[in-house]
Amino acid sequence: MKLIIEKTSKEMGCSAAKMIAREMEKKLALNLCLATGATPIGCLQELVRLHKEEGLDFSKTTSFNMDEYVGLGKTHPQSYYYYLNQHLYQQVNIDRNNTFSPEVLAEASVAAANDYTKLIYEKGGIDLILLGIGRDGHISFNMPKEALHPYTHVEQLSEATVSDNLRFFEKRKEVPTEAITIGLKVILDSRKVILIADGEGKSKIIREFLNDDRITTKLPASFLRLHDDVTIILDEKAAGQIKPEMRLPESKRR
Ligand code: GLP
């Protein structure tokens, strides 16, 4: 795992966007899987800037949402598809026919989840996945538990995550308690992984993640240690509690 510590959150986002752009330039028909939430906003803004000012081409890019709330369709303002549409798709030249998210309005969620796994692999798998991390160490919506799922599945969201998401909804009862998410194997099958985190609020989980080299289902992000091409990009606040002796051999501070 490679660790990059940028000074600010904005620089963290730009650094991730540059890595994504580099991969898009190497392979025009890149299969991307992008996180949602607060952390990736700067990265998405920089991708839009690179498109508008430097001609970054999305015309052959495919984009998969990594997760989606059960019951929130693509046009719901809090759905993750809506988020990517708003922050990226409608501002670049991506073909909407190449943008996918799990079918969360279907009665048979399990079948819909299986179909999504099949779709991802039929399209050639994920070339690059951009992950955020939850305060409890979840990635995508794979929550800390006794056992984790490899493939796309329905996940019950933890109390802490429901509380974290409350900021996006008016009332607690509107916050979805279930999501469809890709699983750990789908994440680890992605050819390149970037994980971003910023702010003091993430420093504790980043410390738990990086100060210990074990793998545990209690901290789903720890499974990234099994992957050969992972870059973690933090701002200084998120990196604040990493012990100097625990910094990874390849880490860089800017
Ligand atoms: C949600 C999303 C994750 C995201 C996480 C952190 O749980 N499913 O993909 O990484 O939140 O979000 P934020 O960046 O807002 O802290």
Side-chain angles (χ1 to χ4, degrees):
M1 287 200 303
K2 188 170 156 197
L3 174 65
I4 298 173
I5 302 171
E6 299 285 0
K7 278 204 181 64
T8 64
S9 165
K10 189 168 193 298
E11 284 163 309
M12 172 208 72
C14 288
S15 180
K18 285 205 178 76
M19 278 187 73
I20 297 171
R22 227 176 294 138
E23 296 305 308
M24 288 175 63
E25 280 156 8
K26 277 195 240 159
K27 182 178 175 187
L28 209 54
L30 197 78
N31 288 349
L32 270 180
C33 187
L34 299 171
T36 49
T39 318
I41 302 261
C43 171
L44 298 176
Q45 281 170 346
E46 177 64 7
L47 285 175
V48 170
R49 191 197 67 76
L50 288 170
H51 167 70
K52 290 192 172 149
E53 294 175 17
E54 298 181 26
L56 183 65
D57 186 6
F58 286 80
S59 62
K60 298 279 184 294
T61 308
T62 293
S63 175
F64 296 99
N65 269 84
M66 62 182 67
D67 47 19
E68 188 58 276
Y69 291 120
V70 169
L72 302 196
K74 287 182 172 175
T75 56
H76 190 291
Q78 293 307 334
S79 78
Y80 285 158
Y81 184 88
Y82 189 97
Y83 169 104
L84 280 183
N85 192 33
Q86 186 186 27
H87 293 291
L88 185 70
Y89 304 158
Q90 64 186 20
Q91 303 191 60
V92 297
N93 64 334
I94 198 163
D95 179 348
R96 295 309 156 86
N97 295 319
N98 294 334
T99 62
F100 303 98
S101 63
E103 177 50 77
V104 286
L105 298 178
E107 294 261 310
S109 303
V110 173
N114 291 340
D115 287 349
Y116 199 60
T117 301
K118 234 195 271 161
L119 177 79
I120 291 173
Y121 287 100
E122 271 166 17
K123 297 265 175 201
I126 297 166
D127 291 307
L128 193 163
I129 187 163
L130 174 73
L131 292 166
I133 184 168
R135 283 189 301 130
D136 55 3
H138 75 258
I139 46 176
S140 192
F141 259 139
N142 295 279
M143 312 307 288
K145 273 193 301 210
E146 285 302 313
L148 302 175
H149 291 267
Y151 296 109
T152 314
H153 59 281
V154 180
E155 187 89 20
Q156 301 296 322
L157 306 184
S158 65
E159 264 306 303
T161 300
V162 172
S163 300
D164 278 351
N165 289 342
L166 190 56
R167 63 200 148 132
F168 301 114
F169 295 83
E170 276 174 19
K171 295 184 192 119
R172 197 180 178 92
K173 67 173 195 297
E174 290 171 10
V175 187
T177 54
E178 277 183 350
I180 293 187
T181 179
I182 58 171
L184 265 299
K185 166 120 176 97
V186 179
I187 293 173
L188 293 175
D189 279 346
S190 306
R191 287 164 202 110
K192 196 175 192 62
V193 180
I194 303 174
L195 183 142
I196 51 175
D198 61 357
E200 223 180 303
K202 295 284 168 75
S203 61
K204 183 169 173 282
I205 193 64
I206 290 295
R207 178 191 72 205
E208 283 167 26
F209 173 26
L210 296 183
N211 285 359
D212 190 333
D213 67 358
R214 286 174 297 178
I215 290 152
T216 165
T217 58
K218 308 272 168 57
L219 202 166
S222 66
F223 278 74
L224 297 177
R225 294 188 178 282
L226 298 173
H227 195 285
D228 284 339
D229 189 352
V230 178
T231 304
I232 296 162
I233 311 178
L234 308 173
D235 73 347
E236 285 199 335
K237 288 184 179 156
Q241 297 190 37
I242 308 173
K243 292 190 211 144
E245 70 271 26
M246 298 309 266
R247 288 180 190 269
L248 306 163
E250 282 192 69
S251 46
K252 265 198 256 186
R253 183 183 277 269
R254 302 197 189 188

